[in-house]
Amino acid sequence: MAASSLLLTAFFAVSFLNVLASFANAGMVSPTVAVAQFLAAHNGPRQAVGVPPLTWNTTLAQFAKSYAAQRRGDCALVHSPGYAYGENIFWGQGRRWPIPNAVAKWSDERSRYHYDTNSCDQGADCTHYTQMVWRTTESMGCAKIICRNGDTFIVCEYYPPGNYIGARPY
């Protein structure tokens, strides 16, 4: 093998290791692992209430990624201006928020949702949970970033959207 080929191979190997190290240093995982974690964290609660699993949608993921990039400067819990999708947003202090732990904050709202009255505990929010398990929602796409201040911001987009007033999620 020529010396230039060996150098090129070594360069790509070092570059790949640097990318992996940057994911690890930022508390991030590879894109493939992230997709699997987002889907598993959503589809577990969906299975528990008997609704079909969500699929990953790259258009929704790109929308989420674009919107998350807009929040990088302030990490503010402000919803995107688009209304074509359902949306959950998350902020966590610091960069060490694994995807399953962050999404669990939404699914933990299940304890505040009452199916019999289709309502949340008084003064409590459970709409992140209801969007996660909305029966007619079929696909999702999410993004996780570390904001400039070092905090974590996650956004998930859902299609078709849920949380219609007066309608039950499942």
Side-chain angles (χ1 to χ4, degrees):
M1 184 177 269
S4 61
S5 294
L6 285 174
L7 283 174
L8 190 57
T9 301
F11 171 77
F12 283 118
V14 168
S15 297
F16 179 72
L17 291 173
N18 285 336
V19 168
L20 290 178
S22 70
F23 275 125
N25 290 336
M28 305 291 272
V29 295
S30 74
T32 303
V33 171
V35 168
Q37 289 180 347
F38 276 121
L39 284 170
H42 280 76
N43 287 330
R46 291 178 67 83
Q47 183 179 22
V49 296
V51 297
L54 296 174
T55 59
W56 191 255
N57 181 306
T58 56
T59 300
L60 296 176
Q62 186 57 45
F63 184 91
K65 181 179 178 183
S66 175
Y67 184 65
Q70 293 175 43
R71 297 270 58 97
R72 189 177 302 278
D74 61 13
C75 225
L77 282 175
V78 176
H79 282 283
S80 68
Y83 296 102
Y85 309 132
E87 182 176 79
N88 282 346
I89 54 178
F90 169 87
W91 165 85
Q93 187 174 18
R95 60 182 54 233
R96 299 284 180 194
W97 278 93
I99 289 166
N101 296 25
V103 175
K105 294 294 184 184
W106 298 331
S107 60
D108 287 349
E109 293 176 4
R110 180 181 186 175
S111 65
R112 295 179 280 202
Y113 175 68
H114 306 284
Y115 186 83
D116 56 331
T117 60
N118 193 33
S119 64
C120 305
D121 287 344
Q122 187 167 349
D125 186 13
C126 64
T127 58
H128 302 99
Y129 167 72
T130 55
Q131 175 58 82
M132 288 177 70
V133 299
W134 201 266
R135 178 178 296 283
T136 58
T137 298
E138 299 172 351
S139 62
M140 62 176 286
C142 304
K144 174 186 175 183
I145 63 161
I146 303 302
C147 298
R148 288 194 188 112
N149 64 4
D151 290 345
T152 301
F153 183 86
I154 293 176
V155 57
C156 288
E157 306 293 336
Y158 306 90
Y159 188 81
N163 284 341
Y164 291 102
I165 296 173
R168 293 185 188 278
Y170 50 88

